[in-house]
Each structure stands twice: as C-alpha cells, then as structure tokens.
Amino acid sequence: MAYNLMIFIAQNMREDEDGGYTAPMSEIVKGYGGTTRDSGRVRGYIEQMCTTLVRWFPLSRSDEEQANTQVTIAGLPDPPESAECRVFSLLSEARFTRRGGEQWLTWYFPPTIRETVVHPVRWAQVDIQEMSQLSHYASVALFEICSRYKDVPGGLTNRAAPVFWVRALRGEPEERSKVREWRKFKNESLKPALAEINQKTSLNVELIEVLRGKTTVEVQFSVRRKPSVKVVAPIDLSLVELAESLGLRERQLDRLVEDYSEQKVRKALEAMVARNRSMPGSPIRLPYGYLQKALRNEALESPLLDEPAEETSAVRKPPRSRNQQEQERQDQWMADRRAQLNAALDNLSVDELESYAASARATLAEKGLLTPAMLRRFDQKQYRAPMIWEYIRTAYAEATFGPDWRAAPPAVESHQTE
C-alpha cells in the first residue's frame, strides 16, 4: 500500500533535478489513514523496498509496456536465456532527512519503474483513496488485480488454477509447497474480500469457477464499474496544509468541517488567502474566530473577506421566503447546539468521556463502519478525529437530550397589537 501511494504521489508532482521525488513522511502515512505513530513502521517498509528484487520480462521489444513481473526477496531462479530480463529493486535509493522538525523522504525509482510514473496513461490506474478503505490483504491484492481489467471490453481477468489465486491473494511465494485448500481459502478470505470490494469501491467483482465434476479446476473474475458510487475519502492533505499555512490547527479545522462542510471551509480559506494577499499590512489576528464568524454569517459571496469586526455595511439581498428563513433558523440552531455539545464534552471527566467513546465504538461496529484505521484511533484515544467525534457527540446528545436532540423547537411568532 505504501509503495502504491508513493507512485500515486510521484504521478502528481514534478521530479527533482536529480530524478527523485520528495514529500513529508506524514503525507505518506496519512495518505492511507495512518497516524504519526506509524512513521517508524512505514520507514521499515521503505527500507524493505530498497532490498526487494524485481524480475521484469517484457513480452517483446516493441511492446515493453506489457510485462510480466515476479517479485521475491531472495532466492531468484535464473531467468530463461531466450527472454529479455531486467532485474532491479523496487526503489533505487531512499533518503530520510529532517526539515523544520519534520521528517522528509526523497525516493528514486529504477528507470523501468519510473516510466510507469512519468507516463501513467499507459497503465490501469488504481484508485488510492478506494484502496485505503480496504482492511484485508486479500481485498487489497484482488482490488489491485481487478483494477487492471475495469476498462477491458470483456471485463474478465485471466483464468488460472486455484493455486495461483491462493498464492496471489495470500502473498505466498512460489517456493512454498503446501498451499491452502481452495474451498477453505474461498470461505475464509475470498468471500469477505469480494464483499468488501463490492461495498467500498467503485467496482463490482464476481467470482467465476470452472468446474470438472465437483472440483474447481480454474478460476477467474468478472469486473465491472458501478454506475456511480460515493466513497468516504481520507483526510484531504491539501486542505490541512492550507489551514496550517493560515495559522489553524488540525483540531480546529476538524471542528469547522464538522459544523459546516469541507466545500464551505475550503472556500473560506481561499478567501482568507486572497484577503491576506491584498492587505499584507493588516494580518488576521485570530484566524479561527475569524473563520467561525465568516462561516456563521455565510459571508462567502465576496472574493475577499474583511475582518468581521470591521464590517460597516451589508450588501442588500433580495427578500427571503418563509421556507428559506425557517431553514436558516434551523441551521443556526443546529450550529449552536453542536457548539453547546462540544463545550459540554470538553468539560467532562476522563471516565465520562471514555463511556461515551465506548458507546460510539459500539455504534460504529453495529453499522459495519469500524475500520482498522478507526480502531487504531480509538485505541490511541484520538477521539477528535471527525467521524469518531461525531458519534461521541451523538451518544452524549442522546443521553442528555433524548433521541430527538436534532429537532429544532418551533419558531415563536411575535404578534403586535395596535
């Protein structure tokens, strides 16, 4: 997964003068839902990439892009003398440095691998965001294989013996003589992997078995794109970096995204950048409070935002309908209610907060949303992660205000008598 993410990052950046690619380690770690505590483990993976050998056999000199690769760590057999063979490591070199207290990585691909990065349109693209939602090795391996066939007219993968698929989807080397029985592997690993891919990605994958009597002799998969699918994306690193450049902490950004929406927060941040560029002599002193008031007042129609405290006149707007006024009243009430709940949760004791976190964890498990990345956040008590905090807040609100805590009270109409 880390290697696929490094290729994805390289495809979207310009290489250095010496042919390398440079990014913060946090960008690689957070790219698939990890935390800074996973940096040491990811560094170990990158060091293994520099020692993992690849044997590359182009099908022909005129069609080198289509190739068959075999990857092992040691014990490579001699390649056929009649075939062209290239041998290299997954990474030519990796450099770890520190800049401003943060660890950075510069990595270099071998020339053959770099061709796939420089010209990615020649290759089937693997959706990194969708892959990050998968929690099992078999799911990730099968999704990566099936992604190569999603645009093939027939929509069918290669047909191979069951032992081939067991080894490919379990990551077992060919030297291992004993292979898991197909029937057991299908029930234990393959069926959960198919269910996870079909639920969390934009692909529909179906198993096709060729039987001889009651014995499965060959296996392949049918791959189709879904008409449309909405996949929960990981943290938008560009939004986080933009907020940090304006003086906001990640926790503050999470709160704003929860209370409003990512689109509105991004628009407000971009407006702040434009405002700072046009008024460099008058910086915004309290960026978080400034954004809160700007978003609450929906003051995003102008390309530049002034300081809320210095507003002297309002743009005349057309009269709003009764439904619009009621919707705005309910939205404002919900924003105030969320702020009230956040303040109450901040004042809870550690034991009280843990009880609501346990309720949120149970609710997520019941809904099938408790991913391994989210489990790690619970274990590390990272309760301010947006999705986890939303369910903790809901558990507290239901215990305090009841199940209808989201329902705003009816508006009170004022009657004037002459």
Side-chain angles (χ1 to χ4, degrees), residues 254-329:
D254 289 341
R255 286 184 176 180
L256 292 174
V257 172
E258 291 168 12
D259 293 341
Y260 303 97
S261 68
E262 182 177 328
Q263 183 179 4
K264 288 184 178 180
V265 173
R266 181 182 292 279
K267 189 174 181 181
L269 292 172
E270 292 173 350
M272 283 183 63
V273 171
R275 187 262 183 205
N276 288 341
R277 189 181 299 118
S278 64
M279 303 173 63
S282 179
I284 297 174
R285 296 180 297 276
L286 300 173
Y288 181 60
Y290 170 79
L291 271 178
Q292 277 187 313
K293 189 166 185 179
L295 289 166
R296 189 180 303 123
N297 296 337
E298 298 183 356
L300 300 178
E301 297 173 1
S302 173
L304 298 178
L305 293 176
D306 296 328
E307 287 275 8
E310 299 175 359
E311 293 178 356
T312 57
S313 62
V315 179
R316 179 173 297 178
K317 300 179 181 179
R320 296 166 295 173
S321 66
R322 184 175 294 245
N323 290 337
Q324 289 175 328
Q325 294 177 11
E326 175 62 18
Q327 184 62 47
E328 290 175 1
R329 185 191 71 83

Side-chain angles (χ1 to χ4, degrees), residues 4-20:
N4 285 333
L5 186 62
M6 291 164 69
I7 291 180
F8 176 78
I9 294 173
Q11 289 173 347
N12 292 276
M13 68 164 51
R14 181 176 298 178
E15 63 182 31
D16 302 336
E17 294 182 357
D18 57 354

Side-chain angles (χ1 to χ4, degrees), residues 147-159:
S147 294
R148 306 172 187 172
Y149 297 90
K150 60 188 176 183
D151 294 320
V152 174
L156 296 174
T157 67
N158 61 306
R159 181 184 295 184

Side-chain angles (χ1 to χ4, degrees), residues 32-35 38 41 131-137 139-140 196 200 361 364-365 368-380 382 388:
Y32 59 90
T35 65
D38 299 319
R41 181 165 53 88
M131 184 181 287
S132 67
Q133 307 302 312
L134 304 178
S135 57
H136 303 287
Y137 182 89
S139 303
V140 174
E196 188 174 35
K200 297 181 179 180
R361 183 170 181 164
L364 286 165
L369 301 175
L370 198 58
T371 63
M374 199 171 295
L375 276 173
R376 288 196 301 270
R377 291 184 182 274
F378 271 111
D379 294 338
Q380 296 167 6
Q382 297 179 0
I388 294 176

